[in-house]
Amino acid sequence: MVYDLAIVGAGILGLAHALAAVRRGLRVVVLDREAEAIGASVRNFGFVTVTGQQSGECWRRAMRSRDVWAEVAPHAGIPIEHQGTLVPAQRPEAMAVLEAFRDTAMGADCALLSAAELKARHGAILADRDWQGALWSPHERRVESRHAIPKLAAWLKAAKGVEIRRRTLVKAVEPGRVLTTSGVIEAVRVVVCPGDDLRTLFPEVIDRLGITRCRLHMLKVTPQDGCRLPGAIMSDQSLIRYLGWSELPEAAALKARLRAEQQDWLDEGIHLIVVQGSDGGLIVGDSHHYEWSPSPFHRARVDELILQEMHRVLRLPGAMVAEHWTGTYASLPDRLMIREDVAEGVKLVIVTSGTGASTSFAIGEETIEEFWGKA
């Protein structure tokens, strides 16, 4: 059989390309060397983040991908764990950033909460401190990644006819041919989505671009009082990390204050995200360490700093850490993603900003459009 499209990699980006292709009626095969998803796509928050993404293409992709998640999730049996994001401001400088963002086109559907409104609506979950106010975004969606990615793959196979071959290592890609450990696959076009595998395929292109890897500390925390969050939670540190906020002029004063007050957190690339699952458990993180070969060793101090910030924001007496793990993703400081023509009919596509859950569905649609034109 000659496939219309062969996709290397069964993470969220590869599956997003498969969805876009089968919606065109194309014959698709997905190849992955692992027996199941174990990479970046299942090691994250499952947080489909819109608000805070860089203005322009990234924000547009996040909005589109959020909509595709909403379309697909019910059919694939993927629960949406919660919706929206609350960003409470600890400092006046943080509130100034949120106010400025609210006045942009990206903030049009978001709501600013005064300190009194924040306390009245969410005081039960927030730590006891003098809050400045908050931003509420309705845009975000959260899925449980470790379950959602397998369910998405199973649905694409059962309902959409996508062939998924696991335990199949791709050794080389040529125009019209994919050489694997189980034989040669013939395909008119090929998309390579290697995640943070930077050596197996097209390493010379990856080296030229300067792609490296980012390592994250991630935690699952069990609250003791059965608290329910209104949505995802972020904090002041997020406002100087996410480009949709940090590129605003008002972010400069917040950066200066955080450097004075929380330099240890900034040195470890920490900003707080907390999301919740149907079991009540909280996924908490994260940190950012840029390393070609991510260390397998966790430093307890990094986890301690993440948890300190969690308790600075949320009222969680007696919360216990149930799991620790390391996330990784491909990283390129000045580009959010790359899509390179590496041979005739072959594209290399990598999300290089940790936004795979948030932008992959839109990226997949763009790639298929580049190959086959507008639907």
Side-chain angles (χ1 to χ4, degrees):
M1 175 186 291
V2 178
Y3 295 91
D4 296 305
L5 179 66
I7 299 168
V8 182
I12 182 57
L13 187 60
L15 297 178
H17 281 83
L19 176 63
V22 295
R23 284 180 163 179
R24 294 285 195 100
L26 303 175
R27 291 170 296 177
V28 180
V29 60
V30 179
L31 310 165
D32 197 284
R33 65 183 178 184
E34 301 294 346
E36 59 186 83
I38 62 170
S41 295
V42 297
R43 300 189 191 190
N44 56 34
F45 295 95
F47 184 29
V48 184
T49 314
V50 176
T51 297
Q53 300 290 10
Q54 187 177 34
S55 63
E57 281 193 339
C58 188
W59 188 82
R60 177 189 57 76
R61 286 172 177 149
M63 287 288 280
R64 173 57 187 159
S65 296
R66 178 208 63 179
D67 292 344
V68 177
W69 273 112
E71 294 169 19
V72 167
H75 299 289
I78 299 171
I80 300 296
E81 303 286 348
H82 55 65
Q83 303 183 23
T85 300
L86 181 69
V87 189
Q90 302 172 43
R91 300 165 178 87
E93 295 87 348
M95 194 65 197
V97 175
L98 296 176
E99 290 169 346
F101 177 82
R102 176 62 181 80
D103 290 337
T104 69
M106 293 185 295
D109 295 321
C110 299
L112 283 175
L113 305 180
S114 68
E117 290 171 327
L118 177 62
K119 183 176 181 180
R121 296 184 191 184
H122 305 296
I125 65 162
L126 294 175
D128 188 13
R129 61 183 305 116
D130 292 329
W131 295 100
Q132 301 297 311
L135 182 83
W136 169 257
S137 165
H139 297 305
E140 285 66 41
R141 303 292 185 268
R142 196 260 160 170
V143 299
E144 187 68 63
S145 296
R146 65 183 77 184
H147 305 310
I149 299 304
K151 286 184 176 183
L152 177 61
W155 174 72
L156 285 169
K157 182 177 180 179
K160 297 297 181 180
V162 173
E163 185 174 345
I164 299 180
R165 299 191 188 184
R166 297 195 179 274
R167 300 183 185 179
T168 301
L169 174 67
V170 174
K171 300 185 290 183
V173 176
E174 303 169 353
R177 287 162 40 96
V178 181
L179 284 63
T180 83
T181 50
S182 58
V184 175
I185 304 294
E186 295 186 352
V188 178
R189 293 180 173 87
V190 182
V191 174
V192 178
C193 302
D196 68 341
D197 175 0
L198 308 182
R199 291 294 84 187
T200 304
L201 298 172
F202 306 108
E204 69 287 350
V205 177
I206 288 168
D207 287 346
R208 172 174 56 80
L209 292 169
I211 299 172
T212 186
R213 298 161 86 188
C214 182
R215 173 173 58 89
L216 319 172
H217 281 223
M218 301 286 294
L219 307 164
K220 184 170 183 177
V221 173
T222 303
Q224 298 301 300
D225 59 359
C227 80
R228 291 302 305 180
L229 303 183
I233 304 292
M234 290 182 163
S235 73
D236 290 9
Q237 299 149 350
S238 303
L239 302 179
I240 66 167
R241 184 160 194 94
Y242 276 70
L243 296 176
W245 292 314
S246 67
E247 291 181 342
L248 295 170
E250 290 78 5
L254 178 59
K255 291 176 187 177
R257 182 159 180 182
L258 288 173
R259 281 195 295 267
E261 296 179 357
Q262 289 195 303
Q263 188 61 52
D264 288 350
W265 283 260
L266 301 185
D267 288 345
E268 304 293 350
I270 291 171
H271 76 106
L272 183 71
I273 301 175
V274 184
V275 298
Q276 192 163 30
S278 56
D279 64 355
L282 307 177
I283 306 302
V284 182
D286 57 358
S287 58
H288 298 77
H289 302 95
Y290 298 92
E291 305 160 341
W292 176 265
S293 298
S295 171
F297 305 110
H298 257 216
R299 285 185 291 123
R301 175 61 176 162
V302 177
D303 290 351
E304 290 170 4
L305 291 173
I306 293 170
L307 292 170
Q308 284 181 34
E309 185 66 12
M310 179 190 76
H311 287 296
R312 192 192 303 266
V313 174
L314 294 173
R315 189 193 306 273
L316 293 170
M320 302 290 292
V321 176
E323 290 181 335
H324 303 254
W325 69 92
T326 300
T328 66
Y329 62 79
S331 176
L332 190 58
D334 58 347
R335 293 177 67 177
L336 300 175
M337 58 83 65
I338 66 104
R339 180 166 36 227
E340 297 279 315
D341 292 307
V342 290
E344 183 181 353
V346 181
K347 292 181 184 288
L348 174 67
V349 188
I350 308 175
V351 176
T352 53
S353 53
T355 61
S358 302
T359 62
S360 286
F361 283 123
I363 291 170
E365 291 176 344
E366 293 167 7
T367 303
I368 299 308
E369 185 173 307
E370 285 188 9
F371 270 146
W372 279 278
K374 290 188 176 182

